[in-house]
Amino acid sequence: MSDLCPEDTVTSRLQYWSVTSPETLAFVYVTPESERYAYSRQELFSLSRRAASWLHQRGVGKKDVLLCLVPTSPEQTFISLGATVLGATTICSMVKYQDGSDIVPLINCGDVTVIVMDQADKQVISTLETFIPNLSAGPVTSQAFPSVKTAIFCNRHPEEEELSFLELISRNQKPELLMQIWTMAMQSYEICPTADGDVIFNGSSLGWISGYPFLYFAFGQTRVVPYVKKSPPDDEDKFLLDVLRQEKVTQLFTSPASLKKLLARNDLLKTPFTWTVRTVIFGGSVFRKEFSRILEKLSVEIRVRYGCTEIGFAAYKVYTDKVQMEDFKCGKPVKGVEIMVVDDNLKEVPPNTKGNIMIKNNGFFSGYLKQPALTAVALPEEGWFRPGDIGWLNDEGEIFIEGRQSEAISIGSFKMFPQPLESHLMKCPGVYDVAVVAIPDKDFENVPCICLVRYPTPEGDEVVPEELIRRCSEYFQESFVHENIEQELGVPKVCLVFDKFPVNSNGKLQRRALRDMAIERLFIRQTEI
């Protein structure tokens, strides 16, 4: 276990790897323009401490809450690790809405004291100026954000004769830190064992459990990160495949949405492979057996992991044969973790009975900041955490995660969970992606609507929306006992075709945004009739 012990901190692990084969690569950033920025273990340790010094000179200290609005890049990594070295808390995020509706609650709920942004990012600066009239480098005041005291600008793309952020921190001195990583590292190792020389591809932000570099701290694993320095690649799938080959990636962590796009590209995958990824790691989305093609094209092993940022990794499943694959199956709990399924009254249900997932709380999570009502729902019983997922345990103790409870569609008194229907519709020829969302109904509050993305390649089968609606009707007839009219209304009557679905930075479907798109599309149609 690379001498990892419970007393280790981020600083101690950075230092450990800096003296253990110091020239071995730690992080590699690859851009669509074929630029490559590589940092050795020694450089990662040195630049993280120097970034801490750079932040400290600008007023950041222990117990500060730093919001980093710099996108995924070397700069984001060193700002995040530097703040951790100082004992500050870091939130990595992005501004997606011009009115700031996405970051206002984040700043106020998190009591953010410091905001770091790219000085060339005009959209971020313009949005923040709405709430911080005196926005400039240094002390700031804001009625909208009472906790914010400091703004820091990061110069990522300097003009002539200016120094970049990376050049500036290389001239700084160094300071120390705090943060236990033992448990997360042990869980990471159980879920995905690592070996000397392993290279992992992971484009997730450091602000998520899936993106935080536990594997580097614990095992010194080289990490490859896609780095959009200028504009996104014209062909994202080709860029991903080129990076995997170029860097000889052995473990690939990416979103199901990204892999689904890649698997649809027969023009790219027909090229003979001289190398394959040893392990493909899934997380953050419902698993479906349609991903069995990975074992034919990219890898010899799929690892499905289930967990959340609040309490870490909870369960995992290893697949080496596509015959083994089942929709929603996430395997057995990791060591030291207990999972049970309960009804709405928190009473444990028998095996193979669908209900609310409960996970034994490991002590990491004590509640949501300033949100007592939400905390009460998440921690309904002492020692247990409820992530808001729906699923069941089979007779062998394996967990099946069907989806989020918040994604249920209320149709009168009937609650419909869309994931099983979506899984059924994914089997239809020509369907590349599908989601069932709620649209308003004056009589029954909501009714379901099918949202469809057709297979993107010319050789894909043509899919007809009416065919999906017909299959939905058959599915409900086969799956439900018709006890009331709400269940009959659960059969979708509308199917909309989209070029693509909205997803977040980690590839997760944004159902609320898709629902808004569907409502807007239907409203336009009605006004045209």
Side-chain angles (χ1 to χ4, degrees):
M1 295 295 292
S2 305
D3 298 327
L4 184 67
C5 66
E7 290 72 34
D8 268 313
T9 63
V10 171
T11 296
S12 69
R13 296 308 293 177
L14 288 171
Q15 185 173 21
Y16 173 87
W17 292 117
S18 74
V19 297
T20 305
S21 57
E23 301 308 315
T24 298
L25 291 182
F27 276 62
V28 178
Y29 292 84
V30 183
T31 75
E33 295 79 24
S34 299
E35 296 173 303
R36 185 173 185 268
Y37 299 83
Y39 299 92
S40 68
R41 293 173 173 179
Q42 187 178 51
E43 289 171 323
L44 186 69
F45 178 51
S46 175
L47 289 172
S48 295
R49 297 185 72 194
R50 293 174 190 275
S53 177
W54 183 85
L55 290 168
H56 185 66
Q57 292 168 11
R58 287 155 180 78
V60 181
K62 190 174 182 179
K63 296 186 179 180
D64 269 322
V65 179
L66 184 148
L67 173 62
C68 179
L69 297 176
V70 176
T72 300
S73 59
E75 291 88 347
Q76 184 200 67
T77 297
F78 293 124
I79 289 169
S80 178
L81 293 179
T84 304
V85 166
L86 290 172
T89 298
T90 307
I91 304 172
C92 295
S93 188
M94 297 172 61
V95 177
K96 294 184 178 179
Y97 297 96
Q98 292 183 359
D99 64 359
S101 57
D102 51 339
I103 62 164
V104 169
L106 183 64
I107 292 173
N108 285 329
C109 182
D111 286 332
V112 169
T113 56
V114 181
I115 302 177
V116 181
M117 69 208 84
D118 185 339
Q119 70 180 43
D121 195 331
K122 294 180 180 179
Q123 179 182 337
V124 169
I125 293 172
S126 175
T127 299
L128 289 175
E129 284 177 337
T130 304
F131 306 99
I132 309 176
N134 67 331
L135 183 65
S136 60
V140 294
T141 56
S142 169
Q143 290 185 344
F145 306 141
S147 62
V148 175
K149 64 179 184 180
T150 305
I152 299 175
F153 290 90
C154 170
N155 190 354
R156 300 174 62 218
H157 310 294
E159 302 291 339
E160 290 184 14
E161 299 182 359
E162 291 182 335
L163 293 176
S164 70
F165 165 79
L166 295 175
E167 291 170 327
L168 281 171
I169 65 171
S170 68
R171 301 184 177 194
N172 271 276
Q173 299 304 310
K174 321 166 190 172
E176 270 319 297
L177 109 95
L178 156 78
M179 180 177 170
Q180 296 290 338
I181 58 174
W182 167 263
T183 302
M184 291 293 194
M186 294 293 288
Q187 289 181 342
S188 298
Y189 184 78
E190 180 184 348
I191 290 171
C192 194
T194 185
D196 289 343
D198 268 342
V199 177
I200 185 167
F201 178 98
N202 189 339
S204 298
S205 167
L206 269 68
W208 295 82
I209 184 175
S210 58
Y212 204 73
F214 296 114
L215 288 174
Y216 175 75
F217 295 143
F219 314 113
Q221 189 180 54
T222 301
R223 175 169 171 173
V224 176
V225 185
Y227 175 22
V228 180
K229 185 178 180 183
K230 297 175 183 176
S231 58
D234 294 331
D235 188 335
E236 293 182 356
D237 307 317
K238 184 177 184 302
F239 174 57
L240 171 60
L241 200 58
D242 287 345
V243 171
L244 297 180
R245 287 171 167 154
Q246 170 188 317
E247 300 296 333
K248 294 182 172 54
V249 170
T250 58
Q251 296 181 350
L252 167 61
F253 179 83
T254 188
S255 69
S258 296
L259 275 176
K260 187 183 293 184
K261 286 176 57 185
L262 184 59
L263 290 172
R265 293 291 302 275
N266 291 327
D267 57 320
L268 296 177
L269 296 177
K270 67 182 179 182
T271 304
F273 278 45
T274 57
W275 143 96
T276 55
V277 175
R278 187 180 75 244
T279 302
V280 172
I281 308 162
F282 275 99
S285 186
V286 169
F287 177 75
R288 294 191 174 98
K289 59 185 178 183
E290 64 179 292
F291 291 110
S292 62
R293 286 191 65 211
I294 293 170
L295 296 178
E296 301 169 9
K297 296 292 185 180
L298 284 177
S299 178
V300 296
E301 179 181 86
I302 295 174
R303 288 179 177 260
V304 180
R305 61 184 186 182
Y306 169 65
C308 54
T309 299
E310 288 90 340
I311 61 167
F313 303 114
Y316 72 100
K317 177 70 177 178
V318 181
Y319 290 108
T320 56
D321 185 346
K322 62 182 182 180
V323 177
Q324 306 168 334
M325 294 188 180
E326 294 184 53
D327 287 342
F328 314 131
K329 183 189 279 190
C330 298
K332 292 186 177 181
V334 300
K335 293 176 182 177
V337 172
E338 295 179 47
I339 298 177
M340 69 174 175
V341 182
V342 300
D343 60 21
D344 291 340
N345 297 316
L346 303 182
K347 182 179 179 180
E348 189 170 5
V349 300
N352 302 304
T353 304
K354 191 184 302 183
N356 302 292
I357 303 298
M358 295 274 281
I359 305 172
K360 192 75 171 178
N361 194 355
N362 52 19
F364 287 154
F365 177 71
S366 58
Y368 296 107
L369 189 63
K370 297 183 182 177
Q371 299 182 73
L374 194 58
T375 298
V377 172
L379 301 173
E381 286 190 355
E382 185 175 355
W384 290 89
F385 171 72
R386 180 163 59 183
D389 294 326
I390 296 295
W392 66 93
L393 287 163
N394 65 11
D395 293 326
E396 288 73 43
E398 293 181 300
I399 187 73
F400 291 71
I401 303 298
E402 192 173 85
R404 301 286 295 166
Q405 190 173 29
S406 59
E407 293 168 358
I409 299 173
S410 297
I411 307 169
S413 60
F414 172 57
K415 280 192 180 295
M416 171 191 168
F417 292 93
Q419 290 80 12
L421 179 57
E422 292 168 354
S423 185
H424 176 73
L425 295 177
M426 281 300 303
K427 301 172 186 175
C428 297
V431 173
Y432 173 70
D433 208 353
V434 67
V436 179
V437 300
I439 54 176
D441 179 79
K442 61 183 178 65
D443 296 319
F444 292 97
E445 184 181 0
N446 300 287
V447 290
C449 169
I450 304 171
C451 297
L452 162 72
V453 177
R454 290 189 170 109
Y455 218 78
T457 55
E459 60 268 27
D461 296 316
E462 179 66 19
V463 59
V464 180
E466 289 74 17
E467 172 66 11
L468 264 68
I469 293 174
R470 184 186 67 79
R471 291 204 178 210
C472 285
S473 179
E474 292 176 352
Y475 173 80
F476 269 72
Q477 290 173 10
E478 295 170 357
S479 304
F480 295 97
V481 176
H482 291 263
E483 297 176 347
N484 54 49
I485 191 171
E486 286 92 344
Q487 286 186 341
E488 294 179 8
L489 286 170
V491 181
K493 305 295 193 300
V494 179
C495 180
L496 303 177
V497 180
F498 294 85
D499 293 331
K500 61 181 180 179
F501 290 158
V503 297
N504 65 15
S505 57
N506 284 325
K508 287 186 179 180
L509 172 66
Q510 294 183 306
R511 286 185 181 267
R512 185 175 297 178
L514 180 59
R515 178 178 183 269
D516 292 343
M517 292 166 62
I519 292 172
E520 182 180 4
R521 180 88 65 86
L522 290 169
F523 175 76
I524 291 172
R525 283 187 177 180
Q526 289 169 358
T527 58
E528 289 176 345
I529 295 175

